[in-house]
């Protein structure tokens, strides 16, 4: 659990810092999207190679990627906890951890519709 | 946004993170007034930014407490059911409330937190409750004394109710809610203060994450603002941990109680 949390915070911080660095090197003001991208749109932007450019949109994509990863890190911790309880055959707490995960997943799905 | 703007935000986040860590109340309580009063950010964006920073700092703190074996994981998981429900409700509510009402509510919570900080200045009685087992009974080694502290957990329904309210406040105002969870676990359920603090830290990240995507979907998450402030708060919380080892002063707490009172009045007047 500790490693999952550290990994999530470290990687998301690196993504955000990279985005800020690229943005600070721009001579033009940072372009802001008219609305926030959904998780699917972010994944497509990451896959289309925009990360390799130095345009302002790449900076925003990197920052959003870091922010989304950070927001998902606690959910990853809950999954890890669930796996630990399952390994210990503590079914009561497998149920509790599953409930917490479903609540988190539900609000993510609802919010990104 | 320009380079000076990024640096100002990082610096402000760093100060907020340092102060929050020194005082044990998290960075959100200082970050949001900085963003609203100094930078001039609308409160919904400030709350969204603070929630992201809270996830980062609590996840970092929780990883340390987990390694030290102080967190009561089972109790934390159970209370998370209540805090997550409360946080989701808080996040949904905040997005239909006006900025003015949220600002005044935030100022009220600052006042309550100031009173709780004064309460904590009273000498903590030694943990003398006898452990009698139970589903959530646990133990940890106190670093300060080297002793193994065993404890049981009582009155869980009451603590769950307070956790529900703390989660609601967290989702509504973008703070961690530890100022309410820790006293509930300690005073109601008999959890030693160190274990209560560690368990609260363990829960706060999940609580904040429960409302983060709601703010994201309402367009309140400015990526440059959130990234700068979060990195600053993370750096500040690490610095605060180091400074805190060398600093232990009731005077410092009283100075910041006065600071919280002044800021809360300014938030009321905004």
């Amino acid at each position: 659990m500790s490693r999952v949390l550290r990994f999530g915070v470290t990687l998301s911080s690196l993504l955000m810092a990279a985005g800020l660095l690229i943005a600070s090197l721009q001579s033009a003001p940072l372009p802001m999207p008219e609305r926030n991208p959904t998780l699917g749109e972010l994944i497509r932007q990451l896959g289309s190679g925009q990360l390799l450019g130095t345009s302002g949109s790449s900076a925003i994509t990197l920052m959003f990627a870091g922010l989304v990863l950070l927001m998902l890190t606690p959910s990853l911790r809950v999954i890890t906890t669930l796996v630990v309880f399952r390994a210990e055959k503590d079914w009561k707490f497998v149920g509790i951890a599953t409930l917490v995960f479903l609540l988190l997943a539900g609000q993510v799905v609802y919010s990104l519709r | 946004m320009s380079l000076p703007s990024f640096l100002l935000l990082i610096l402000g986040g760093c100060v907020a993170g340092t102060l929050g860590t020194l005082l044990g109340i998290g960075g959100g309580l200082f970050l949001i007034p900085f963003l609203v009063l100094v930078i001039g950010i609308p409160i919904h964006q400030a709350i969204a930014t603070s929630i992201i920073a809270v996830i980062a700092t609590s996840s970092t703190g929780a990883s340390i407490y987990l390694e030290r074996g102080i967190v009561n994981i089972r109790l934390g998981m159970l209370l998370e059911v209540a805090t997550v429900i409360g946080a989701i409700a808080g996040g949904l509510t905040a997005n239909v409330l006006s900025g003015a009402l949220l600002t005044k509510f935030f100022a009220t919570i600052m006042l309550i937190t100031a009173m709780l900080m004064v309460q904590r200045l009273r000498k903590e009685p030694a943990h003398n409750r006898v452990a009698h087992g139970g589903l959530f009974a646990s133990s940890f080694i106190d670093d300060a004394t080297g002793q193994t502290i065993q404890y049981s957990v009582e009155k869980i329904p009451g603590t769950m109710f307070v956790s529900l309210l703390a989660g609601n406040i967290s989702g509504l105002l973008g703070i961690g809610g530890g100022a309410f969870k820790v006293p509930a676990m300690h005073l109601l359920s008999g959890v030693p203060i160190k274990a209560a603090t560690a368990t609260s830290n363990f829960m706060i990240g999940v609580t904040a994450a429960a409302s983060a995507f709601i703010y994201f979907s309402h367009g309140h998450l400015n990526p440059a603002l959130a990234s700068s402030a979060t990195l600053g708060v993370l750096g500040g919380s690490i610095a605060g941990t180091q400074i805190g080892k060398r600093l232990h002063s009731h005077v410092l707490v009283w100075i910041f109680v006065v600071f919280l009172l002044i800021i809360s009045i300014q938030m009321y007047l905004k």
Side-chain angles (χ1 to χ4, degrees):
Chain A
M1 279 180 265
S2 172
R3 274 189 231 126
V4 165
L5 290 170
R6 280 196 190 186
F7 172 76
V9 173
T10 303
L11 183 56
S12 60
S13 298
L14 288 172
L15 287 168
M16 286 188 272
L20 283 173
L21 185 62
I22 292 172
S24 65
L25 295 174
Q26 302 302 309
S27 53
L30 196 64
M32 290 303 302
E34 287 182 11
R35 63 170 180 79
N36 291 321
T38 64
L39 191 56
E41 286 168 357
L42 261 181
I43 292 170
R44 278 192 290 279
Q45 285 175 18
L46 286 169
S48 67
Q50 278 183 277
L51 281 178
L52 301 176
T54 56
S55 68
S57 59
S58 296
I60 293 173
T61 302
L62 275 172
M63 285 187 249
F64 267 127
L67 290 167
V68 169
L69 175 60
L70 188 59
M71 286 191 273
L72 291 174
T73 295
S75 301
L76 294 174
R77 193 272 288 159
V78 172
I79 293 172
T80 308
T81 311
L82 198 157
V83 169
V84 168
F85 285 141
R86 192 181 180 284
E88 294 175 355
K89 294 184 169 45
D90 193 335
W91 303 116
K92 194 175 291 185
F93 281 93
V94 167
I96 290 172
T98 303
L99 177 58
V100 172
F101 176 71
L102 288 175
L103 286 168
L104 290 172
Q107 66 97 18
V108 172
V109 170
Y110 171 80
S111 301
L112 293 179
R113 61 192 165 83
Chain B
M1 290 181 73
S2 60
L3 181 59
S5 302
F6 291 141
L7 292 176
L8 177 62
L9 285 166
I10 291 172
L11 181 63
C14 197
V15 172
T18 304
L19 294 175
T21 301
L22 280 175
L23 297 164
I25 56 172
L29 220 55
F30 296 101
L31 182 64
I32 291 175
F34 168 73
L35 292 174
V36 171
L37 297 174
V38 177
I39 306 294
I41 303 291
I43 187 139
H44 286 93
Q45 276 198 43
I47 289 171
T49 301
S50 177
I51 281 178
I52 302 301
V54 164
I55 293 173
T57 53
S58 74
S59 296
T60 305
S63 70
I64 295 170
Y65 285 124
L66 281 165
E67 284 178 355
R68 288 166 58 188
I70 308 176
V71 178
N72 190 322
I73 295 172
R74 282 171 170 73
L75 178 63
M77 286 305 307
L78 180 67
L79 295 180
E80 274 176 2
V81 175
T83 63
V84 166
I85 292 171
I88 291 173
L92 291 170
T93 306
N95 285 284
V96 297
L97 293 179
S98 70
L101 190 58
L102 271 181
T103 304
K104 286 178 172 42
F105 192 35
F106 185 85
T108 306
I109 295 299
M110 288 187 85
L111 282 176
I112 295 172
T113 305
M115 289 191 293
L116 289 171
M117 282 171 62
V118 171
Q119 274 247 315
R120 276 167 57 179
L121 285 175
R122 292 184 196 161
K123 190 172 162 53
E124 288 288 343
H127 179 75
N128 56 6
R129 295 198 198 191
V130 178
H132 51 77
L135 185 61
F136 299 99
S138 187
S139 65
F140 66 95
I141 297 172
D142 188 335
D143 288 343
T145 62
Q147 288 182 324
T148 299
I149 308 292
Q150 293 182 319
Y151 63 95
S152 300
V153 182
E154 306 160 351
K155 296 178 185 163
I156 289 174
T159 303
M160 280 198 79
F161 179 69
V162 174
S163 296
L164 180 73
L165 294 179
N168 193 249
I169 291 170
S170 173
L172 199 60
L173 300 176
I175 58 176
F180 304 95
K181 294 176 197 171
V182 172
M185 279 189 273
H186 180 54
L187 298 172
L188 276 178
S189 293
V191 179
I193 194 71
K194 286 186 179 178
T197 302
T199 307
S200 169
N201 226 288
F202 177 75
M203 292 159 52
I204 283 173
V206 168
T207 308
S211 58
F213 279 99
I214 297 174
Y215 283 92
F216 190 178
S217 72
H218 281 83
H220 295 310
L221 195 61
N222 181 313
L225 175 67
S227 299
S228 307
T230 298
L231 291 174
V233 170
L234 259 179
S237 65
I238 294 169
T241 308
Q242 298 305 313
I243 295 170
K245 290 177 187 172
R246 296 168 179 77
L247 206 63
H248 184 69
S249 171
H250 284 190
V251 173
L252 184 65
V253 175
W254 277 111
I255 289 172
F256 285 109
V257 165
V258 172
F259 175 79
L260 282 178
L261 290 173
I262 293 170
I263 296 299
S264 68
I265 290 169
Q266 289 198 318
M267 295 283 279
Y268 267 119
L269 294 175
K270 183 165 170 64

